[in-house]
Amino acid sequence: MRSDAGAGAAAAVAAGRVLGSAGVCLMPSADVLACLGVGGAEWERFAAHWDDLVVDRYAAAGGTRRLRRYGKFVLTGAGELRPRSHGTFVQPDDTNPLYVGVERRFEPLTDAFVADPVFGKLVGLLGVLARGLEEERDEWVVLVHPFRVIAVAGQDGQPTPEGRHRDGVTLVTSLLVGRENAVGGRSAVYDDGGAPLLAATLDEPGALLLGDDRRTEHEVSPIRPLDPAAQAHRDVLVTTLLPVG
């Protein structure tokens, strides 16, 4: 799974070009892991943080079985990631129709998650890609949402219960961390006029979907168990970046 730094840099440049021109880019797992310089043991350690998520009570009230945490940071021009008090999470009125005006409070990321080198490397990569979309911007607010969506027989898991939407940021990203006994979960991205730009099922850990949120909308289809006798889940890390101020 490990590759040289040159291959990773080339993959990042290529992804930035596609994202800038098309508004969306799907980076294969091999390219992402090359960019991060991550091996199998490091990825397994990172993925284990998803076993330490807690129930999203807002999603539960709507019938969605979802675990999550939340963190807020500032990424400086020098590449330093500074934690910020995450307080409430409120999305702009013209983005997520399910939670308009709702001030949601989530449990914070664990110290171990924040300190994990894979997390730091990922945010560094996303900062580079975000600056490619707004070159005049130097500092970024980084919002971090690890999710586990759960499905059982007769109850699909809903990665985006709000349906097609945007997040009100510059760069929106979804990193597949893992899937177990799950089918479905197809990601779809559309332009401002509703025309489809990309549709793909993230099925390999490390696959990274990137979108210019200013000119696209996105949604993910439900998941369900492959084996109805067992629970299914889909683990992703949704990270969004918007300019400071």
Side-chain angles (χ1 to χ4, degrees), residues 91-176:
Q91 291 180 277
D93 289 349
D94 60 349
T95 57
N96 188 329
L98 192 60
Y99 298 111
V100 171
V102 179
E103 295 186 356
R104 291 179 286 168
R105 290 185 178 273
F106 302 112
E107 292 297 314
L109 302 173
T110 64
D111 292 342
F113 186 105
V114 175
D116 196 302
V118 176
F119 172 60
K121 293 175 182 178
L122 175 67
V123 174
L125 170 62
L126 299 183
V128 170
L129 295 168
R131 282 190 290 273
L133 296 175
E134 293 194 52
E135 294 181 358
E136 72 279 9
R137 301 293 187 174
D138 195 41
E139 292 194 332
W140 298 87
V141 176
V142 182
L143 306 179
V144 181
H145 312 263
F147 289 107
R148 170 171 287 176
V149 173
I150 297 170
V152 295
Q155 184 179 10
D156 291 349
Q158 302 288 339
T160 54
E162 63 272 45
R164 190 185 305 182
H165 69 286
R166 55 168 39 100
D167 286 17
V169 297
T170 297
L171 176 65
V172 57
T173 76
S174 182
L175 176 74
L176 181 71

Side-chain angles (χ1 to χ4, degrees), residues 53-237:
L53 302 182
V54 295
V55 172
D56 178 346
R57 65 181 185 275
Y58 303 97
T64 297
R65 299 184 64 183
R66 183 165 72 184
L67 311 180
R68 73 182 297 171
R69 288 183 182 271
Y70 170 57
K72 183 177 182 180
F73 303 83
V74 168
L75 179 65
T76 70
E80 181 183 359
L81 192 62
R82 298 175 178 171
R84 289 290 182 266
S85 175
H86 69 280
T88 58
F89 177 62
V90 182
Q91 291 180 277
D93 289 349
D94 60 349
T95 57
N96 188 329
L98 192 60
Y99 298 111
V100 171
V102 179
E103 295 186 356
R104 291 179 286 168
R105 290 185 178 273
F106 302 112
E107 292 297 314
L109 302 173
T110 64
D111 292 342
F113 186 105
V114 175
D116 196 302
V118 176
F119 172 60
K121 293 175 182 178
L122 175 67
V123 174
L125 170 62
L126 299 183
V128 170
L129 295 168
R131 282 190 290 273
L133 296 175
E134 293 194 52
E135 294 181 358
E136 72 279 9
R137 301 293 187 174
D138 195 41
E139 292 194 332
W140 298 87
V141 176
V142 182
L143 306 179
V144 181
H145 312 263
F147 289 107
R148 170 171 287 176
V149 173
I150 297 170
V152 295
Q155 184 179 10
D156 291 349
Q158 302 288 339
T160 54
E162 63 272 45
R164 190 185 305 182
H165 69 286
R166 55 168 39 100
D167 286 17
V169 297
T170 297
L171 176 65
V172 57
T173 76
S174 182
L175 176 74
L176 181 71
V177 175
R179 297 167 60 105
E180 183 173 332
N181 191 40
V183 294
R186 188 166 180 82
S187 299
V189 183
Y190 308 85
D191 69 13
D192 277 333
L197 296 175
L198 180 148
T201 300
L202 306 183
D203 56 9
E204 186 173 1
L208 177 63
L209 181 60
L210 308 159
D212 183 341
D213 192 61
R214 301 165 302 175
R215 53 188 175 122
T216 61
E217 294 183 323
H218 58 276
E219 64 183 348
V220 184
S221 69
I223 66 167
R224 63 185 186 279
L226 177 63
D227 175 2
Q231 177 177 283
H233 71 252
R234 177 180 183 267
D235 292 350
V236 299
L237 177 61

